[in-house]
C-alpha cells in the first residue's frame, strides 16, 4: 500500500482551521501542550488512545471534563480504552486566562496516544476584534527540535510590521533560547515565551 498525507479540517461558526495529522508510528507517549492565551474564551484539548492506556495528566491550569475538575499542578490518572477520547477544557478562573500551555500528558507504560488542542473562539492577538478558531495535533516531545527557521509570512502594508507570532515551549529545565545566535532567555520544562 502507498503512503499518504492526511489533514483534518475542523470548523466552527464563520471560522475554521486545518491540522496535519501524524502517522500512528510517529505518535508518542509524552506531550507538553502549547496553545495561545485566550482573551475571554477557553483552550481545550482531547486525548485519543490508539491502544488501551493509563494516561497521566498534569495541568498547567485548572481543567474541566464535564463535571470533573482537574486542579493545576496536580497529577491525575485516567484509563482510556483503545479508540476512547478524553476531552478537557481550561477553567476561566485559573492561570493566565486559561492557557493550557505547559500541561503535561504521558502514558504510564509507553502506550501511544494522539493529542489535539486549540480554542473555539480566540482573538490573536488579543487586540483584534474578530475571534478565530485554532486547532492542531500536538507533537510528542520526542519529535521536538533544537533549531528552527522562521520567516515573516505577512507584513502589514500600513504599519510595515509583521503580524506573525512565535511561541517557544521548553521540554527541559534550564533550556537556553537563542535568536540569531544571541542568548535571549532561559525556560524551564513546560514554560513558554512568545
Amino acid at each position: 500500500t502507498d503512503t499518504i498525507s492526511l489533514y483534518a479540517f475542523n470548523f466552527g461558526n464563520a471560522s475554521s482551521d486545518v491540522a496535519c495529522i501524524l502517522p500512528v508510528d510517529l505518535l508518542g507517549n509524552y506531550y507538553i501542550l502549547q496553545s495561545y492565551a485566550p482573551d475571554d474564551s477557553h483552550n481545550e484539548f482531547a486525548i485519543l488512545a490508539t491502544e488501551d492506556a493509563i494516561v497521566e495528566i498534569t495541568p498547567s491550569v485548572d481543567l474541566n471534563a464535564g463535571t470533573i475538575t482537574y486542579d493545576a499542578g496536580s497529577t491525575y490518572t485516567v484509563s482510556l480504552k483503545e479508540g476512547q477520547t478524553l476531552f478537557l477544557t481550561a477553567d476561566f478562573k485559573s492561570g493566565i486566562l486559561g492557557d493550557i500551555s505547559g500541561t503535561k500528558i504521558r502514558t504510564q507504560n509507553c502506550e501511544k496516544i494522539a493529542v489535539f488542542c486549540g480554542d473555539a473562539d480566540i482573538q490573536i492577538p488579543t487586540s483584534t476584534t474578530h475571534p478565530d478558531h485554532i486547532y492542531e495535533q500536538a507533537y510528542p516531545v520526542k519529535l521536538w527540535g533544537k533549531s528552527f527557521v522562521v520567516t515573516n509570512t505577512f507584513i502589514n502594508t500600513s504599519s510595515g510590521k509583521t503580524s506573525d507570532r512565535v511561541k517557544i515551549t521548553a521540554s527541559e529545565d534550564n533550556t537556553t533560547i537563542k535568536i540569531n545566535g544571541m542568548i535571549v532567555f532561559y525556560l524551564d520544562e513546560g514554560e513558554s515565551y512568545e
Side-chain angles (χ1 to χ4, degrees):
T1 65
D2 293 331
T3 58
I4 64 167
S5 175
L6 178 70
Y7 73 86
F9 182 72
N10 188 282
F11 56 93
N13 186 20
S15 179
S16 60
D17 201 358
V18 173
C20 292
I21 304 302
L22 294 173
V24 172
D25 60 327
L26 290 181
L27 297 178
N29 68 315
Y30 180 49
Y31 294 80
I32 300 174
L33 298 186
Q34 187 177 45
S35 194
Y36 191 81
D39 46 355
D40 63 354
S41 62
H42 57 274
N43 287 174
E44 51 201 17
F45 66 95
I47 304 166
L48 170 62
T50 63
E51 56 189 305
D52 293 353
I54 299 171
V55 181
E56 294 178 349
I57 304 164
T58 306
S60 60
V61 295
D62 292 346
L63 301 172
N64 296 312
T67 59
I68 301 170
T69 300
Y70 298 84
D71 296 327
S74 298
T75 299
Y76 297 89
T77 302
V78 177
S79 293
L80 295 176
K81 296 288 186 193
E82 180 180 353
Q84 187 176 12
T85 300
L86 176 65
F87 182 75
L88 298 114
T89 60
D91 191 326
F92 281 117
K93 300 175 288 192
S94 67
I96 304 171
L97 300 172
D99 184 357
I100 60 172
S101 296
T103 293
K104 298 171 191 159
I105 303 166
R106 74 174 68 234
T107 60
Q108 287 186 348
N109 299 307
C110 297
E111 303 94 345
K112 289 183 177 182
I113 55 174
V115 180
F116 301 87
C117 56
D119 197 297
D121 193 35
I122 191 167
Q123 293 174 225
I124 302 174
T126 55
S127 61
T128 62
T129 56
H130 302 290
D132 206 353
H133 177 92
I134 57 172
Y135 162 70
E136 189 60 66
Q137 181 170 9
Y139 279 40
V141 171
K142 72 177 185 175
L143 295 181
W144 288 17
K146 295 185 178 192
S147 181
F148 297 86
V149 176
V150 180
T151 185
N152 294 331
T153 57
F154 174 76
I155 298 194
N156 185 318
T157 54
S158 62
S159 70
K161 295 182 180 179
T162 180
S163 295
D164 293 331
R165 300 271 191 221
V166 175
K167 187 167 186 174
I168 301 166
T169 301
S171 65
E172 297 177 17
D173 288 342
N174 301 312
T175 298
T176 303
I177 305 301
K178 295 180 182 179
I179 298 176
N180 295 328
M182 303 281 298
I183 295 175
V184 180
F185 50 89
Y186 299 91
L187 293 173
D188 285 333
E189 181 186 26
E191 289 184 338
S192 295
Y193 177 82
E194 182 179 344

